[in-house]
Amino acid sequence: MKIEVKDLNKSHPLVLAAHLMSVAYHQYETMIPACEMVLEQFPQLTPEQVICLWVGVNCANNDC
């Protein structure tokens, strides 16, 4: 999925996926199941985009 800042809003798939990643991050102890869960719900995103979501949530929770 090509993402442009001007298109982002509360209902954009990337934003919704980010919220789901926040939940998945706390539900699973490792990156792979969390990313798989988000990719399953948002197949229009690339694996690289989902990994970036995980990294962002990880940093927000661990003083990166």
Side-chain angles (χ1 to χ4, degrees):
M1 167 184 273
K2 183 172 169 67
I3 300 167
E4 296 188 28
V5 173
K6 66 182 175 74
D7 297 330
L8 294 177
N9 58 55
K10 290 181 182 181
S11 63
H12 191 280
L14 181 65
V15 175
L16 296 175
H19 287 285
L20 180 58
M21 181 58 78
S22 181
V23 172
Y25 176 85
H26 294 289
Q27 184 176 348
Y28 297 103
E29 293 183 15
T30 60
M31 179 180 173
I32 293 172
C35 289
E36 287 175 345
M37 178 181 169
V38 174
L39 273 172
E40 184 176 304
Q41 293 295 315
F42 294 92
Q44 65 270 48
L45 298 177
T46 67
E48 291 82 7
Q49 290 167 332
V50 173
I51 290 168
C52 288
L53 292 176
W54 188 90
V55 169
V57 172
N58 180 273
C59 285
N61 285 280
N62 292 297
D63 294 332
C64 283

